[in-house]
Amino acid sequence: MDHAHDESHPHVNYFFIFLLLCGCTALSVIFDVVKITPALVVFAVLAVAVAKASLVMTFFMHLKYEGRWKYVILLPTAILGVGLMVALSPDMAMHYYEYDVMQSRIVAPRSEHGAGHDAEESAEHDGEAKDAKHH
Amino acid sequence: MSDSHHAPAMHMGLPISRAKLGMWLFLGTEIMFFTAFIGTYIVLYFGSVDATGKSAWPTDTHVTHLNIAAGGINTFVLLASSYFVVVAHESMSKRDFAKARKFLIFTFILACVFLGIKSFEYYGKFTHDILPGHIPETDTQAIGKMERQVESRFHKRLDSVVPDIAITDVDGDNKPDRAMPTDQSMIYYQKAAALPQLIESAEGSRKADYEALLALNGQVGVLREQISGNKLTFVEAEESLHEMVEDEHYGSILSGLHMSTPILYGNLFASVYFLMTGFHAIHVIVGMILFGTVLAQGDKLSERWSNWVENSGLYWHFVDLVWIFLFPLLYIIPGNI
């Protein structure tokens, strides 16, 4: 039982883990500020989030020191969680049917630097909006 | 434990305490609870297309009023609170209860800080009316919202300034001769119609109030006509509202009104934002109750509470985990995809 007792009180340098987590948070903010390609930002930021989650689960939640029961609880729920998203995708994200709602008849103003409406886009927007109203 | 051959029956199941197993099973359901929200958000993000066929999810922080700095600071705050929980549990195991209490107090304070920053963000959403169902998504809807806001201010003022007797008294003896109309819009109509007569009999500031209302009534009529005839563009409506707010007679009745920027899919965004961050904030509050219960023990904190601290800690780390994913997904990634 001594062994089991040791396992339930592992010696982890929690402060070091905390510093790692802070570093990761700083990294994701840096990725947002530094000019790299958007796709890379998404990948990097998600990778950092997964790294942080792993650190918290492994050390703060002591999963490193738990028995194999952890997989019995965590794997099915994680799979169901992802499965829900996959199941929703055809209907809600991919629209395998013709998607016709008020918003899909309008061109949204897309501007890089914030609120400024592009004149041409705005005119088009107005026209579409009025069309939409007549439906 | 003398019947040692019966002992195996006592060790059925997992080599962890029932409380901890219960907490982990609960966290399993929590994983599904939050992945349902997060997954729905991701799917809706890509599914909310405009006429170009591309996602038109609102990402411009100028219109969504998402504050990346606030989200980043909150991430740090929750990570720090998680650290304090884990060292509190460690101190409990070492029977250093005074130290454990100190760390739990830090955790509790950090939870308050998190909610404080969250409230600040929510406050920004409320003041800019970034709320589900309140957001105009097209120019037409923005103009319609402006009309409703102007009318609502006008009606409120009409109700507070013009007494009911003004429309129930027919023969001028200051006694009600007929019942109030049951239809609210009829009441406003009759009160507005009574204004010219009231101006004649009133004096001083009262008279000025009535005159302002009469002027506004005329302007609201013009506005209604222009909007129903579809004659106003967004910019014209904005100018028109600006002139009305600046008007020297009735401007004070409309003070603070401004046109809402149309945000395509803004209502869906607001629903998803408040659903995810709202449920997360509720979890933070529940965590504070769990830690508050331990802190309420004061000096009586003992080994008996060790399991409680461990399990609340597991729960708290989970709350932290959710935020670790919410922060990039809500604050950083939109606009980069």
Side-chain angles (χ1 to χ4, degrees):
Chain A
M1 284 308 272
D2 260 8
H3 184 63
H5 186 78
D6 278 345
E7 274 192 346
S8 64
H9 301 294
H11 289 285
V12 179
N13 188 344
Y14 292 118
F15 193 67
F16 178 65
I17 305 291
F18 171 62
L19 289 181
L20 277 181
L21 287 166
C22 290
C24 285
T25 308
L27 259 186
S28 48
V29 174
I30 289 169
F31 284 138
D32 185 47
V33 176
V34 172
K35 297 234 178 295
I36 50 175
T37 51
L40 203 59
V41 173
V42 174
F43 177 78
V45 165
L46 280 182
V48 166
V50 170
K52 277 158 80 179
S54 318
L55 282 175
V56 170
M57 292 202 292
T58 312
F59 297 105
F60 283 4
M61 297 173 96
H62 301 126
L63 276 182
K64 191 180 180 196
Y65 310 98
E66 299 289 7
R68 285 194 209 151
W69 59 264
K70 62 192 169 194
Y71 299 113
V72 179
I73 290 178
L74 293 177
L75 282 183
T77 53
I79 291 168
L80 283 171
V82 176
L84 174 88
M85 218 170 94
V86 174
L88 288 174
S89 288
D91 266 316
M92 289 163 69
M94 286 140 70
H95 302 307
Y96 58 84
Y97 49 85
E98 198 185 333
Y99 186 58
D100 188 28
V101 297
M102 180 269 284
Q103 290 93 337
S104 71
R105 292 192 286 267
I106 294 167
V107 177
R110 286 186 175 80
S111 53
E112 298 251 325
H113 307 289
H117 275 235
D118 189 294
E120 201 180 11
E121 253 183 0
S122 183
E124 198 178 349
H125 186 176
D126 286 348
E128 293 279 354
K130 276 174 190 159
D131 283 351
K133 202 194 164 187
H134 291 306
H135 269 265
Chain B
M1 279 296 187
S2 56
D3 287 344
S4 60
H5 57 279
H6 286 315
M10 304 286 285
H11 293 290
M12 275 175 69
L14 298 170
I16 52 173
S17 75
R18 286 182 198 135
K20 194 161 149 184
L21 176 63
M23 178 51 79
W24 269 109
L25 284 173
F26 171 65
L27 292 184
T29 68
E30 288 276 85
I31 290 173
M32 291 190 283
F33 181 81
F34 275 105
T35 48
F37 292 157
I38 295 173
T40 309
Y41 160 58
I42 294 173
V43 172
L44 284 173
Y45 183 103
F46 290 108
S48 302
V49 294
D50 66 359
T52 62
K54 289 184 194 140
S55 168
W57 193 261
T59 56
D60 186 349
T61 48
H62 288 90
V63 296
T64 58
H65 295 282
L66 275 179
N67 191 335
I68 293 178
I73 293 167
N74 258 351
T75 311
F76 170 77
V77 167
L78 273 193
L79 285 175
S81 71
S82 255
Y83 166 71
F84 284 123
V85 172
V86 89
V87 287
H89 176 228
E90 199 181 34
S91 305
M92 292 290 283
S93 310
K94 289 177 183 162
R95 309 180 58 81
D96 189 345
F97 301 112
K99 211 170 170 186
R101 208 168 77 228
K102 190 181 81 186
F103 287 137
L104 285 179
I105 289 172
F106 289 157
T107 304
F108 195 88
I109 292 170
L110 286 170
C112 294
V113 172
F114 178 90
L115 286 180
I117 295 176
K118 194 86 249 166
S119 331
F120 169 73
E121 283 188 74
Y122 275 14
Y123 179 73
K125 298 275 181 305
F126 276 83
T127 50
H128 290 97
D129 216 15
I130 307 286
L131 299 170
H134 285 223
I135 303 164
E137 303 205 14
T138 63
D139 288 359
T140 314
Q141 288 181 2
I143 295 166
K145 180 179 176 179
M146 181 270 266
E147 183 189 10
R148 284 194 304 279
Q149 283 179 325
V150 168
E151 280 185 1
S152 144
R153 289 282 186 94
F154 172 58
H155 288 158
K156 223 181 218 169
R157 184 81 184 147
L158 203 56
D159 253 347
S160 68
V161 171
V162 179
D164 289 350
I165 192 79
I167 57 173
T168 50
D169 172 28
V170 181
D171 50 15
D173 58 358
N174 247 347
K175 283 178 194 136
D177 304 313
R178 59 179 180 185
M180 289 286 282
T182 48
D183 183 14
Q184 189 63 42
S185 61
M186 185 50 86
I187 294 176
Y188 294 138
Y189 178 79
Q190 289 187 358
K191 283 192 174 181
L195 283 171
Q197 208 178 348
L198 288 167
I199 290 170
E200 273 179 34
S201 56
E203 279 171 13
S205 68
R206 203 73 179 156
K207 188 169 181 163
D209 278 348
Y210 291 145
E211 279 170 345
L213 272 171
L214 188 66
L216 182 57
N217 185 36
Q219 190 54 44
V220 168
V222 172
L223 190 68
R224 247 184 230 147
E225 204 169 297
Q226 283 174 327
I227 291 170
S228 68
N230 219 357
K231 284 179 191 147
L232 281 186
T233 66
F234 181 84
V235 177
E236 284 166 357
E238 195 165 31
E239 278 165 9
S240 169
L241 177 66
H242 187 71
E243 277 169 24
M244 289 169 75
V245 173
E246 297 285 304
D247 189 278
E248 54 177 325
H249 299 298
Y250 55 77
S252 60
I253 301 173
L254 305 176
S255 70
L257 285 188
H258 59 86
M259 292 287 282
S260 307
T261 315
I263 312 172
L264 206 61
Y265 289 111
N267 294 297
L268 200 54
F269 161 81
S271 302
V272 167
Y273 171 83
F274 280 109
L275 192 72
M276 291 200 293
T277 59
F279 266 113
H280 182 263
I282 290 171
H283 277 73
V284 170
I285 292 168
V286 170
M288 287 170 75
I289 294 170
L290 291 176
F291 294 131
T293 312
V294 182
L295 291 174
Q297 305 308 311
D299 293 337
K300 281 184 261 165
L301 194 62
S302 67
E303 216 172 342
R304 280 179 49 223
W305 288 89
S306 197
N307 273 341
W308 180 289
V309 171
E310 182 182 13
N311 292 322
S312 328
L314 285 175
Y315 170 85
W316 192 253
H317 298 315
F318 176 80
V319 174
D320 189 10
L321 274 184
V322 171
W323 188 256
I324 285 175
F325 283 106
L326 283 188
F327 172 57
L329 287 172
L330 264 175
Y331 291 80
I332 298 183
I333 293 178
N336 280 310
I337 260 186

